[in-house]
Amino acid sequence: QVQLQESGPGLVKPSQTLSLTCTVSGGSITAGYYYWNWIRQPPGKGLEWLGAIAYDGSFYDMPSLKSRASISRDTSKNQITLQLTSVTPEDTAVYYCARSQYLPNIWQVVSDEYDSWGQGTQVTVSS
């Protein structure tokens, strides 16, 4: 059974770049036809899809982020990395990585579209 674990700094200053890593165990990130997604939940708000990297390395991001998000992978470490540039306090959220078997609905996160989730990591943007 695949397991996902997010890691990264809990506190980031405004205007800096946030970098989070999702370490995958129990399965290769290049196996099958999976999409590896980043999702976040700001305090008091719903889940927001940020982007994904596919099994073949293709990258998809949320247009509303205006290219601030990028997702890469390290196949030797079986890791997926999210970078979010020019962060503001509005980027404060719990960040999750999750696996899906196809590119999910990017406008509304539907939990049933994902078969594995990490436990999430809190990120606060504050000076």
Side-chain angles (χ1 to χ4, degrees):
Q1 181 177 357
V2 69
Q3 293 184 324
L4 292 72
Q5 178 67 58
E6 305 89 347
S7 60
L11 179 65
V12 183
K13 296 184 184 299
S15 80
Q16 291 187 339
T17 295
L18 166 65
S19 183
L20 296 175
T21 297
C22 176
T23 300
V24 179
S25 59
S28 170
I29 60 174
T30 59
Y33 297 97
Y34 294 110
Y35 291 73
W36 303 90
N37 304 268
W38 282 97
I39 296 162
R40 69 182 179 185
Q41 185 167 29
K45 298 184 178 181
L47 294 167
E48 177 186 18
W49 183 85
L50 303 176
I53 188 166
Y55 57 94
D56 62 356
S58 300
F59 167 60
Y60 306 85
D61 65 334
M62 170 57 82
S64 62
L65 290 176
K66 300 179 181 179
S67 301
R68 291 197 299 128
S70 63
I71 299 175
S72 60
R73 65 182 183 176
D74 186 331
T75 56
S76 67
K77 296 181 179 179
N78 221 35
Q79 292 178 334
I80 307 291
T81 297
L82 167 73
Q83 289 199 317
L84 187 64
T85 62
S86 304
V87 297
T88 71
E90 292 186 346
D91 294 309
T92 294
V94 178
Y95 285 75
Y96 299 92
C97 58
R99 189 182 76 171
S100 60
Q101 297 185 27
Y102 47 84
L103 187 63
N105 184 335
I106 71 170
W107 304 110
Q108 181 178 5
V109 175
V110 179
S111 297
D112 288 349
E113 293 191 300
Y114 303 89
D115 60 13
S116 297
W117 290 77
Q119 64 183 24
T121 186
Q122 172 70 47
V123 175
T124 300
V125 179
S126 175
S127 56

